[in-house]
Amino acid sequence: SRKILNSGCDVVRYGNAPGSGEYTQLYVSNKEDFINSFDVVSEVLLGKYQEVSDRPSFMTTGDIVVILGEDISQIEIF
């Protein structure tokens, strides 16, 4: 979240997802509405994520939701 904040975006909240997945997922319901924020988050994650054009069932807020997966340890910045 610190890298995203330092890049000029707001982080509304962060916490643990219910369960863990194998791959990092980036949920965005309408990428065109949030293209600048999407570009920042995508760059922070080095483009190594699965994009999901929806919202996770357990979240009701946030334009973009990032769920870090087990693969996050393989991304160079982490």
Side-chain angles (χ1 to χ4, degrees), residues 23-62:
Y23 300 104
T24 296
Q25 295 181 319
L26 184 59
Y27 287 83
V28 57
S29 56
N30 189 346
K31 183 169 38 174
E32 291 76 30
D33 287 348
F34 311 106
I35 195 67
N36 292 334
S37 298
F38 180 85
D39 288 347
V40 167
V41 174
S42 178
E43 185 177 317
V44 167
L45 295 174
L46 301 175
K48 297 180 181 181
Y49 55 84
Q50 294 177 337
E51 185 178 331
V52 182
S53 298
D54 201 359
R55 300 190 62 64
S57 61
F58 59 89
M59 290 287 297
T60 59
T61 59

